[in-house]
Amino acid sequence: MKRRTLLSLVPLAALALMTGCKPDESKPTDAGAPAPAGAPKPVGGDGKKIKVVFIPKNVGNPYFDAIAKGMKEVCAKEGAEFSMTGPAQAEATNQISYIKDEVQRGANVICIAANSVDALNGTLDEVRAKGVKVVTVDADLTGNETHRDVGIFATDFSKFGGMILETMGKGINYEGEVAILSATSDSPNQKLWVEQMNAAWKDPKYAKMPLVATVFGDDKPEKSATEMEGLLTKYPNLKGVIAPTTVGVSAAAKVAQQRGVYPGGANAKNGGVRVFGLGLPNQMRSFIKEGVTPEIMLWSPVDMGSVSAYVCLALARGEAKAEKGTKIKVGAMGEREIGDLNKIMVADPMIFTKENVDKFDF
């Protein structure tokens, strides 16, 4: 899809200002504000407000803060309670205790960015048996979708890895050594995109772009930076690094900038090292303008949070069934239809460049 087409499909809500915060991992945060006068009161069978809990892969991550922002705004508008809580580290089983605790506290819906495709399944089955709805957002239980009700995704991830690879290919003229800096090896979406990239690499057009390494920064800024340092040291002829994670891409770009190895940098060799991947425009603006990251892809995490909240409330109210073909109203964005494997797509991705990055504020 051409960039002009992608950008033309961006919802206006993507321009909303994100005010990130770092929740205390030990307890829920961002409790929903009192509903405005006249707002509908979505209630459960006990007559109480519906409680929606968002459990991200890890707290303190600006990307998940943006998703939470969209969810919080909708829940407040609709008269529901919202909270966000989760582990500090994005590891496979770290979310289990949070799921159990929040259900014990009366959560009606658990909205989760899964850290594993299978480690959570038994726990999710237990809470669903109690009548709690389970919605995945951003990262799904790939191959185990029957353990949740609906999955919310920014866009069709089935071809996303190939799109990222092609963006980098064009950026380095399809020639030079390349490395991947991913988040964790267990992360469902990261794993999927790496597999897609490896499959796409078989195309003859990438024959002069050997993949020399795939490393994992665990969605930690420090570890991601260390892995980037290691790549630059071990592979002096490196031309490009793909980081399909907002934490990893910013860490990689910062290292390339500080070491001056990016195109035009003081220590650049053979044209320099370019960083590509998924990043927030506010987070990546300086790197884009300086040429460290020629292009960055993403979608609106705020919009994804908004759609997730509407879906959570519709399921909890009994207004919608978690089955293919069901259409759910999502406020000003219209409606979204549940597709195969009970998936809902929010919008097309965006590409941020020097020419347009100042137009976005999230």
Side-chain angles (χ1 to χ4, degrees), residues 202-275:
K202 297 177 183 179
D203 190 313
K205 72 189 315 184
Y206 303 122
K208 296 181 180 180
M209 284 172 45
L211 174 64
V212 296
T214 299
V215 297
F216 301 91
D218 295 344
D219 255 357
K220 301 176 183 177
E222 298 81 6
K223 190 172 189 300
S224 297
T226 298
E227 293 293 346
M228 180 64 176
E229 292 277 5
L231 289 173
L232 294 177
T233 299
K234 189 172 182 179
Y235 303 101
N237 295 320
L238 200 63
K239 294 286 290 185
V241 174
I242 297 177
T245 154
T246 58
V247 174
V249 76
S250 60
K254 186 174 182 179
V255 169
Q257 184 184 59
Q258 292 177 336
R259 291 186 54 162
V261 297
Y262 63 94
N267 299 313
K269 297 179 180 179
N270 300 319
V273 179
R274 292 169 171 81
V275 178

Side-chain angles (χ1 to χ4, degrees), residues 111-134:
C111 189
I112 186 168
N115 271 327
S116 172
V117 299
D118 51 21
L120 310 174
N121 295 345
T123 301
L124 296 179
D125 288 344
E126 291 176 10
V127 303
R128 291 179 73 205
K130 296 178 180 179
V132 177
K133 302 299 181 182
V134 174

Side-chain angles (χ1 to χ4, degrees), residues 10-11 14 63 66-67 138 153-157 160 164 189-190 193 244 246 278-281 296-305 346-352 360 362:
V10 178
Y63 177 72
I67 292 177
D138 184 68
F153 306 94
T155 187
D156 184 355
F157 287 161
F160 208 66
I164 301 173
N189 49 2
Q190 296 285 311
W193 296 334
T246 58
L278 307 180
L280 295 160
I296 289 293
M297 297 178 68
L298 201 64
W299 42 84
S300 169
V302 178
D303 283 353
M304 187 157 56
V346 176
D348 286 310
M350 295 169 273
I351 297 178
F352 307 113
F360 300 91
F362 63 91

Side-chain angles (χ1 to χ4, degrees), residues 294-334:
E295 292 186 351
I296 289 293
M297 297 178 68
L298 201 64
W299 42 84
S300 169
V302 178
D303 283 353
M304 187 157 56
S306 298
V307 170
S308 298
Y310 280 115
V311 171
C312 287
L313 294 177
L315 294 176
R317 290 168 174 160
E319 295 175 349
K321 293 183 178 180
E323 59 186 28
K324 182 178 178 180
T326 298
K327 295 181 179 180
I328 300 176
K329 294 182 179 179
V330 292
M333 288 180 283

